Amino acid sequence: MAIELSVNDAVRPAPRRAPRLRPGAWPGLAAAVWGLLFAVPSFVWAMGFTFGARTTVAPSLVELAEDRVAWFVAVLWVTGLLKVFGALIGVGLTRRRGGWVGRLMVFCGGGAAVLLVWHGCLFVVHGVLVEIGTRSVAPDLAGLTRWYLGLWGPWFIVGGLAFAAATTRYVRRLDPRREMRIYGAVGALGALLLSSASMITGIG
């Protein structure tokens, strides 16, 4: 019995499978989404829109944004771009990168993880101390402190944990882990020193 094939059957392409993300990619993607979402307020405020900012951000900063102070507007744009850069780092940590690119991913990922978790914990601890009466703030800042306790502190911690998980998974997939761990540790230490210097000098 002869088997007849039509022309359409002969050239019909095999069905394509939808691309699937590896489980290890999710922390990096979570960090990327976190960075993009966090960049939105910076760009919005830089363009002069401060809706909702007075109840969640220090009044002095809101006034600088509303008065369109040039240096502060520039800081907002730079901050937004840095958050977008953080999102790119998150995407970069979803798969292996060779050479200096991989080292940069680990360095920045480790630094972002420590910096964000550290600042988030500071916000939470300060808010808790204010709530239990150990520390006092001006009456007009009491509501703002609760926002830092309930929103910004946890938000920073979540972002830091996402970068930490993404960086850890990235390093674990590599053969020469020791070198990459050094880059991550240096980035984390640099972020901690930068934050400590900011607290001591009162800048930032």
Side-chain angles (χ1 to χ4, degrees), residues 15 25-26 53 85 106 136 147 166:
W26 289 108
F85 177 73
V106 175
S136 60
W147 277 104

Side-chain angles (χ1 to χ4, degrees), residues 97-108 170 179-180 183-184:
R97 314 285 175 177
W100 65 270
V101 176
R103 299 185 186 96
L104 178 64
M105 296 294 109
V106 175
F107 176 83
C108 293
Y170 182 90
E179 180 185 1
M180 284 299 183
Y183 280 96

Side-chain angles (χ1 to χ4, degrees), residues 110-187:
V114 170
L115 189 64
L116 293 172
V117 171
W118 170 252
H119 274 280
C121 289
L122 288 179
F123 292 152
V124 171
V125 170
H126 179 265
V128 170
L129 293 178
V130 171
E131 289 298 316
I132 64 178
T134 304
R135 298 195 63 176
S136 60
V137 295
D140 58 333
L141 296 179
L144 181 63
T145 301
R146 295 188 183 97
W147 277 104
Y148 276 85
L149 171 61
L151 174 63
W152 295 120
W155 176 257
F156 272 62
I157 293 173
V158 167
L161 293 178
F163 277 102
T167 305
T168 300
R169 285 181 175 271
Y170 182 90
V171 172
R172 285 180 177 176
R173 293 198 300 267
L174 302 177
D175 293 330
R177 299 179 183 177
R178 183 176 181 181
E179 180 185 1
M180 284 299 183
R181 285 174 178 171
I182 293 175
Y183 280 96
V186 171

Side-chain angles (χ1 to χ4, degrees), residues 36-130:
L36 291 177
L37 291 177
F38 200 24
V40 171
S42 296
F43 291 134
V44 170
W45 297 339
M47 290 185 291
F49 302 99
T50 56
F51 176 77
R54 284 195 173 275
T55 57
T56 59
V57 182
S60 59
L61 300 180
V62 177
E63 291 178 2
L64 290 173
E66 290 179 341
D67 294 341
R68 309 298 294 159
V69 178
W71 68 266
F72 186 70
V73 173
V75 168
L76 289 174
W77 282 111
V78 171
T79 302
L81 292 175
L82 286 175
K83 293 171 183 177
V84 173
F85 177 73
L88 295 177
I89 294 297
V91 173
L93 290 170
T94 58
R95 62 177 59 187
R96 295 181 61 174
R97 314 285 175 177
W100 65 270
V101 176
R103 299 185 186 96
L104 178 64
M105 296 294 109
V106 175
F107 176 83
C108 293
V114 170
L115 189 64
L116 293 172
V117 171
W118 170 252
H119 274 280
C121 289
L122 288 179
F123 292 152
V124 171
V125 170
H126 179 265
V128 170
L129 293 178
V130 171

